[in-house]
Amino acid sequence: MTGRRRIRSTFLPALLRRPARAIRTAGALVACASLAAGCGIIPGTGSGDDPITVMTWAPQETNATNKPGMPALALAYARYVNSNGGINGRKLRVLLCNDHNDSVGAAKCARRAVKEKAVAVVGSYSQYADSFFPILEGAGIPYIGGYGITNGEFTSPLSYPVNGGQPALLAGLGRELARTCGPVSLVRPDTIAGDELPTLINSGLRAGGHSTASDLRAAEDATEYSTPSERALDQATTDPTQTGCVVPALGDRTSTFMDSFRRARENYPEVRTGTVLGSVDQTVIDATGGASSPYEGAYITGWYPVETDKRWDEMKKVIREQAFTDTRIDPADAGVQTTWIAYTVLEAVVKSLGDSDVTAESVRRTLDDGFKVTTGGLTPTLQWQFQDVLASVGFPRLVNTDVTVQVVRDGQLVAARKSALDVTKTLQGAEAS
């Protein structure tokens, strides 16, 4: 374990790292060149009560994970709400912040939310829960719909997650692979964060009556993976009567691994692959050849229905009407989808308050008093209680245990199951790490 880079409070941050997407329009660059300085605020103009102030943060223009679509969708949502009279007649004011994938940046964003008297942080992404949660908790500001990559999002009493995070994705992937795979090889980073992966995927494999995966460590910063590819294929093809599966979970190096894997697999019997959204999405599949990409036939678990599902039509309508030229917003991106659902939760809470004051305290109190939110079928009905069914395994705030299983067919992500997979019991059986 010596020499490993410690990443604090994250389940699988490396799993989610992909190269930054370039912002392809000058308009987008001008619009958000300095989010932390206040660019992109939806002002609380018009008559009536003061605007409702919230914040959305996400990393942008970094060498690691970038989620520019999340703040961009937040702005589009606010424009849509405000063009229709606001929420209970009050304008929605959205502050944006770039945490720069940095603990100092995350703390700065949280302090700004306190200074601006935000009633909530909504639909945000940050790997640095240890930096921002103490500040939010000290001010009593709820964190609604984080991306689901940190321990704090599933333990903090001020966190209200809308998905099951990385634990649910990996448990669900294990469940699906147990149905269809022979031997399973997991290729994961040789890091502290990577050490979490085998426990989670094996909980799903065991729930499906399958043996555990071969745990193959690899350097997370390698420029080629010919040796790990061959080792994974050796393990996955030990049973000639069954089709084995290889699961690369190397974050931004997953595509690099697949380049090596594509060449190595020519010398082995057929195998299938599997991974999770955030490591691979439709953009990656398109960029690596579509129907001829190495992901063809791969199983990929996600939190929500596929992007082509009609349940996303309202979100797409808002994007078309309010942000149709903004190339940062990809409706297939899980971060964009999470932000949409998080703002759906916020709007429902504010509407329930009627003429009462909308403050961080009133929003938090409403959520804590058994408030239920429906999201048009994109998630189960959401309701947060601190001591919930997964408290015993360290996830007391995890309330959405649904996982969707998708498969790449003819270069497109499509649903592999008619309905979502509930991984509650699978996670309950996971070993404490």
Side-chain angles (χ1 to χ4, degrees):
M1 302 291 280
T2 58
R4 295 186 186 175
R5 176 173 54 83
R6 181 175 293 276
I7 302 175
R8 301 180 67 192
S9 291
T10 58
F11 284 113
L12 310 170
L15 187 63
L16 301 175
R17 292 178 182 167
R18 298 199 306 269
R21 292 185 189 174
I23 299 176
R24 290 168 286 180
T25 66
L29 285 168
V30 172
C32 286
S34 180
L35 295 180
C39 162
I41 294 176
I42 294 292
T45 58
S47 60
D49 295 333
D50 291 338
I52 299 165
T53 299
V54 298
M55 177 176 279
T56 295
W57 62 50
Q60 299 189 69
E61 300 176 345
T62 76
N63 292 325
T65 302
N66 291 279
K67 291 292 180 182
M70 297 178 74
L73 191 279
L75 292 181
Y77 195 99
R79 292 189 191 102
Y80 172 73
V81 165
N82 292 342
S83 68
N84 287 279
I87 307 176
N88 292 345
R90 298 180 63 181
K91 297 290 186 179
L92 181 61
R93 177 175 179 249
V94 174
L95 309 173
L96 305 183
C97 195
N98 184 353
D99 89 333
H100 298 285
N101 268 323
D102 179 87
S103 61
V104 175
K108 286 182 178 179
C109 288
R111 284 194 292 269
R112 184 174 169 223
V114 175
K115 181 179 179 180
E116 298 277 359
K117 295 182 172 57
V119 303
V121 174
V122 186
S124 295
Y125 181 109
S126 178
Q127 298 183 23
Y128 296 96
D130 286 355
S131 296
F132 70 77
F133 262 125
I135 298 170
L136 296 184
E137 290 170 352
I141 297 175
Y143 188 72
I144 302 173
Y147 192 83
I149 60 168
T150 67
N151 287 308
E153 290 170 75
F154 300 103
T155 58
S156 172
L158 269 71
S159 180
Y160 304 87
V162 299
N163 62 46
Q166 303 309 300
L169 291 185
L170 284 161
L173 180 62
R175 283 272 300 275
E176 185 64 24
L177 297 185
R179 293 196 318 147
T180 58
C181 294
V184 177
S185 297
L186 171 67
V187 184
R188 52 88 168 183
D190 188 13
T191 62
I192 296 295
D195 290 343
E196 301 285 352
L197 287 163
T199 295
L200 294 168
I201 195 168
N202 285 336
S203 69
L205 289 170
R206 284 195 299 269
H210 197 287
S211 58
T212 58
S214 299
D215 180 17
L216 305 176
R217 300 175 181 179
E220 65 173 347
D221 57 354
T223 57
E224 66 88 29
Y225 287 94
S226 56
T227 299
S229 294
E230 292 169 0
R231 291 172 58 207
L233 286 162
D234 285 339
Q235 294 295 324
T237 56
T238 54
D239 186 345
T241 67
Q242 294 181 300
T243 300
C245 290
V246 174
V247 180
L250 293 163
D252 61 343
R253 297 294 179 177
T254 297
S255 293
T256 304
F257 173 86
M258 292 303 288
D259 287 340
S260 300
F261 180 75
R262 189 203 298 253
R263 294 188 293 271
R265 71 189 304 178
E266 295 176 358
N267 300 318
Y268 288 85
E270 181 182 358
V271 297
R272 302 191 72 171
T273 56
T275 187
V276 299
L277 282 178
S279 187
V280 175
D281 61 13
Q282 187 62 54
T283 302
V284 173
I285 295 166
D286 293 342
T288 54
S292 62
S293 86
Y295 297 104
E296 183 68 19
Y299 289 107
I300 300 176
T301 49
W303 297 302
Y304 315 120
V306 292
E307 179 264 337
T308 54
D309 194 287
K310 291 184 179 298
R311 285 170 283 187
W312 293 113
D313 285 354
E314 185 178 1
M315 180 187 74
K316 292 178 181 178
K317 177 176 180 288
V318 170
I319 294 171
R320 285 195 306 270
E321 292 181 354
Q322 303 297 333
F324 67 96
T325 62
D326 195 334
T327 56
R328 295 170 298 167
I329 303 178
D330 180 357
D333 179 74
V336 168
Q337 295 170 349
T338 297
T339 302
W340 171 262
I341 294 169
Y343 272 91
T344 300
V345 171
L346 174 77
E347 185 174 358
V349 170
V350 173
K351 283 183 175 178
S352 76
L353 292 172
D355 295 331
S356 302
D357 289 341
V358 180
T359 64
E361 181 183 1
S362 64
V363 170
R364 190 178 69 249
R365 186 174 60 245
T366 300
L367 289 166
D368 289 341
D369 284 347
F371 188 73
K372 295 181 179 180
V373 182
T374 57
T375 60
L378 295 171
T379 69
T381 297
L382 300 173
Q383 183 183 25
W384 296 269
Q385 296 174 330
F386 191 77
Q387 293 300 327
D388 217 310
V389 292
L390 293 173
S392 62
V393 289
F395 307 132
R397 302 299 276 174
L398 201 164
V399 299
N400 177 5
T401 53
D402 277 6
V403 170
T404 59
V405 181
Q406 302 170 25
V407 65
V408 183
R409 291 180 182 153
D410 297 324
Q412 296 294 313
L413 275 170
V414 298
R417 285 173 170 259
K418 292 183 179 179
S419 58
L421 181 67
D422 186 343
V423 297
T424 300
K425 291 183 178 179
T426 305
L427 288 171
Q428 286 175 324
E431 297 174 2
S433 58

